[in-house]
Amino acid sequence: MLDQSMVVIGAGPLPELLMRGACTTLAEAFGVPLSTIAVGESPQSFLADLHRDCPRLVRLAGDSGRVAVDGSCWIDALGAWRAPTLLLATPLADGAIPGVVPAYLALCQSRRVPLIGLIQIGGAWRLSERRRDGLPWSGWMADQGNEGLDALVTVLQRQLRR
């Protein structure tokens, strides 16, 4: 169970069905409702009310690093509002992690987004390779089903207590 709301973003624009499925599974595992907001919506008005219906998991649909016409950017807003955030990533077909993942991690860190965890969705979990890439992985979950979920939830709960 969560005691605070969290926002879930993708490291780059993840496929909609994959992102929705992973967020649904995480919300069920934490026992909280899931809501969705599109990156085209205003981050300021949404984040001002983030903790009103607490706790919940919020899926941000679309590219959170994209700068809108008005100059706003969701990642900037997540950092400014200190919104606890999960970052989801998918491996390439060969199991390697694409360069967009460390780039998004660096963007989140530079904007002071309180990143709770970095999660690999789908593919094979290769612990030695994940350690070698030097990213702060929380763990892995299958793109369908609940494989890897129990261990991931345990790690995330421990990270939330810090």
Side-chain angles (χ1 to χ4, degrees):
M1 185 72 170
L2 291 177
D3 61 357
Q4 61 183 319
S5 292
M6 286 192 298
V7 178
V8 182
I9 62 174
L14 297 184
E16 172 66 20
L17 290 177
L18 180 70
M19 181 82 165
R20 185 182 323 146
C23 289
T24 299
T25 300
L26 285 170
E28 289 171 357
F30 281 115
V32 296
L34 174 66
S35 57
T36 300
I37 186 161
V39 294
E41 301 291 324
S42 167
Q44 301 304 329
S45 61
F46 177 79
L47 291 170
D49 292 333
L50 178 63
H51 301 294
R52 185 182 328 163
D53 298 322
C54 190
R56 62 183 163 143
L57 202 65
V58 178
R59 177 175 67 97
L60 184 57
D63 185 352
S64 59
R66 185 186 82 191
V67 177
V69 176
D70 67 359
S72 66
C73 174
W74 270 91
I75 287 185
D76 288 342
L78 291 170
W81 283 91
R82 308 294 300 149
T85 303
L86 292 172
L87 181 61
L88 304 184
T90 56
L92 299 171
D94 67 357
I97 297 300
V100 71
V101 176
Y104 260 78
L105 180 65
L107 180 61
C108 287
Q109 290 170 335
S110 73
R111 300 305 196 267
R112 300 185 46 125
V113 174
L115 203 57
I116 302 301
L118 172 60
I119 302 168
Q120 178 182 317
I121 305 299
W125 179 247
R126 298 178 179 143
L127 185 57
S128 62
E129 289 180 30
R130 296 298 75 89
R131 285 183 178 152
R132 190 172 34 247
D133 67 28
L135 300 176
W137 294 101
S138 296
W140 167 87
M141 62 186 284
D143 56 358
Q144 295 180 352
N146 291 333
E147 188 178 357
L149 187 62
D150 290 339
L152 175 62
V153 168
T154 300
V155 168
L156 290 173
Q157 287 173 332
R158 189 171 46 242
Q159 290 171 319
L160 285 166
R161 282 186 231 123
R162 291 183 189 166

